Amino acid sequence: MVAEPGGPDDQKPQSDEARSAFSQPAGVGRSAPPPDDDHPTSEFSLPSGLTPEPQGPAPGSGSGSVSGSDTIGSAFAPPRTYDARNSPPAFTPAHGIPMIRLTKEAPWQDRMRTMLRMPVADRPAPEPVQKHDDAGPAVPRVLDLTLRIGELLLAGGEGAEDVEAAMFAVTRSYGLDRCEPTVTFTLLSISHQPSLVEDPVTASRTVRRRGTDYTRLAAVFRLIDDITTEEGEVSLEEAYRRLAEIRRNRHPYPGWVLTLAAGGLAGAASVLVGGGPLVFLIAALGAMLGDRLAWLCAGRGLPEFYQFVVAAMPPAAMGVALTLTHWSDVRPSAVITGGLFALLPGRALVAGVQDGLTGYYITASARLLEVMYFFIAIVAGVLLALYGGLQLGAELDPEARLISHDRPVVQILASMVLTLAFAILLQQERSTVLAVTLNGGVAWVIYGAMARTGGLSPVAATAAAAGLVGLFGQLFSRYRYTSSLPFITAAIGPLLPGSATYFGLLGVAQNELDRGLASLSTAVATALAIAIGVNLGSEISRLFMRVPGAVGGANRRAAKRTRGF
């Protein structure tokens, strides 16, 4: 069909830019309409010729019929059989939906540990225990208070999981949901996300100084317990005031008492390995001299590594001096071993292994590295004294380890004195000293019955005794609603591998590396047995206790996040 002259087509430009590249050229007729397949429709539309059946009135609506066009709605609309009052759950896990009641029917450590070991999607909404105004909790202040509490716990030697549980308890008690605390060896952080459409709020705090004061640790636990309980009301201002008082509190024991406790610990340890009254006095004198030298170095700002080197030298030097005087009724090995007992870092070792067993591998690696540095410092200090003694002609007998242990009553009393002195060095509350002293005596009885009387392996006997210490310590802590560390750390003092460490160092000093390394390997195995036994005893105590607040017999979740594959 050709356009007429003067028509509308004559007014259009004749260039190629004036028409689409896909338009039909002039003189070509229109093609047939495309088939129906080229015009797809919705998959949910009704085909032509089909009339939908009329539906009855919807529940709760008036009478009348509904047209077919009205039934085609959004894909997200609920079905007509949906009842808002009896709505089914959107998702039900295979193990059921857990229910945690944040009441004081169980220690807050167990309640918060259960929450931490649950996936984030399964955690129930927090039930605020502490009141706040209508505007909601002051998020920055709550996070800052949480970090300060976590700092005191981590600096006091508490395990990483217990620190996270404490931080989690504080935030949930003040009504903050979707909080995730993170604990490493020197850094604490916590993140709070108000909602899915708001930016998260993150705060962090660095732990620069660590000190052992179990009295302060117990005070922090009491503060957390008051915050998480429903009976008392602790506002943010009150919590800050109590936290400042805890920081300002003086240590329960003066410096001279700590020095005497170090001497008593070394003397009691020397009696455990066969020493007498004279050995007790000499070992105590060497340990007190080393403690004072370490305090002097600390006042001068020397790192803790060199403080351990200096503290390890006086007991070893006194043992060498006794060898040079040729006193037949004095065992120099007992004097040196007692001094080593006062320096071995049992607290850091137990905390490091506990963090590793509960899945906090970064913190565990840092703690165990700290233990390794302390152990190297002790080795350096003792070896310096032993090398000096060998140059002076001292004859240190490696066979001195073959001594008879036929004084069970004396050794039980010595183990209790050692535990008492260790508890004072850890700055424990006076109300807990008696319990931990009895716990240490029971641990030595179990060890002596299995290793000395039963003839079992010393490492296995140590692990069994440490497991009993962990079990009793966990029960004591549940009775008093406090940390288990004050009831455990001092009680493992009699089990520390002081004699194995000394004879290993003596073998290295005398160029008998095979014998020395074998003895040091025994010391390391004993230390690991202590740490694993303590953790196992604590977990066994929780194994037979009901999950706090869980309904339907829910299983206790494991501490490890993955299975390793």
Side-chain angles (χ1 to χ4, degrees), residues 131-133 138 141-142 145 174 223 227 233-245:
K131 298 179 181 179
H132 50 75
D133 53 16
R141 297 195 66 192
V142 173
L145 175 67
Y174 284 106
L223 173 60
I227 291 176
E233 181 178 351
V234 182
S235 63
L236 286 175
E237 289 75 14
E238 176 69 15
Y240 269 105
R241 184 189 64 80
R242 292 181 57 179
L243 196 62
E245 290 180 354

Side-chain angles (χ1 to χ4, degrees), residues 265-288:
L265 192 156
S270 65
V271 174
L272 281 180
V273 294
L278 184 59
V279 171
F280 180 94
L281 293 176
I282 296 175
L285 181 61
M288 287 189 291

Side-chain angles (χ1 to χ4, degrees), residues 200-425:
V201 180
T202 303
S204 61
R205 192 173 183 87
T206 302
V207 180
R208 302 190 183 277
R209 295 188 62 183
R210 293 184 300 275
T212 304
D213 188 345
Y214 283 174
T215 299
R216 178 179 296 176
L217 189 68
V220 176
F221 267 74
R222 285 193 293 269
L223 173 60
I224 300 172
D225 189 64
D226 293 340
I227 291 176
T228 56
T229 188
E230 296 178 350
E231 285 76 11
E233 181 178 351
V234 182
S235 63
L236 286 175
E237 289 75 14
E238 176 69 15
Y240 269 105
R241 184 189 64 80
R242 292 181 57 179
L243 196 62
E245 290 180 354
I246 293 173
R247 287 181 175 273
R248 288 195 301 264
N249 279 348
R250 298 173 60 89
H251 297 305
Y253 306 103
W256 64 270
V257 174
L258 298 180
T259 301
L260 290 178
L265 192 156
S270 65
V271 174
L272 281 180
V273 294
L278 184 59
V279 171
F280 180 94
L281 293 176
I282 296 175
L285 181 61
M288 287 189 291
L289 180 60
D291 180 76
R292 287 291 91 190
L293 289 177
W295 278 101
L296 181 62
C297 293
R300 297 295 180 179
L302 287 179
E304 200 168 9
F305 178 87
Y306 301 104
Q307 298 176 28
F308 271 81
V309 173
V310 172
M313 294 179 67
M318 286 195 170
V320 171
L322 290 176
T323 304
L324 294 175
T325 57
H326 302 288
W327 281 11
S328 60
D329 55 344
V330 176
R331 296 183 182 274
S333 60
V335 175
I336 300 176
T337 301
L340 290 178
F341 266 89
L343 296 176
L344 292 177
R347 173 186 59 87
L349 175 66
V350 171
V353 175
Q354 178 182 357
D355 288 342
L357 294 177
T358 52
Y360 294 83
Y361 299 115
I362 297 178
T363 308
S365 302
R367 289 186 189 271
L368 293 178
L369 185 63
E370 181 188 39
V371 171
M372 185 187 72
Y373 271 103
F374 289 163
F375 191 77
I376 293 175
I378 296 172
V379 168
V382 174
L383 283 181
L384 286 175
L386 292 181
Y387 276 127
L390 292 177
Q391 296 300 321
L392 295 175
E395 297 180 358
L396 299 170
D397 187 9
E399 301 300 327
R401 73 180 72 189
L402 302 176
I403 56 178
S404 60
H405 298 273
D406 53 356
R407 305 176 300 170
V409 177
V410 174
Q411 288 184 332
I412 292 174
L413 294 177
S415 66
M416 297 179 67
V417 172
L418 189 153
T419 306
L420 174 63
F422 204 171
I424 294 176
L425 286 176

Side-chain angles (χ1 to χ4, degrees), residues 102-158:
L102 299 181
T103 58
K104 200 174 180 179
E105 60 184 11
W108 63 264
Q109 298 98 313
D110 281 354
R111 291 179 270 144
M112 293 300 106
R113 188 180 291 109
T114 303
M115 296 289 296
L116 283 174
R117 294 178 181 182
M118 294 172 56
V120 179
D122 293 349
R123 293 175 185 169
E127 301 175 4
V129 176
Q130 303 301 328
K131 298 179 181 179
H132 50 75
D133 53 16
D134 296 337
V139 175
R141 297 195 66 192
V142 173
L143 296 184
D144 179 71
L145 175 67
T146 303
L147 289 174
R148 292 177 183 271
I149 290 177
E151 178 191 9
L152 287 180
L153 294 178
L154 188 63
E158 195 65 56

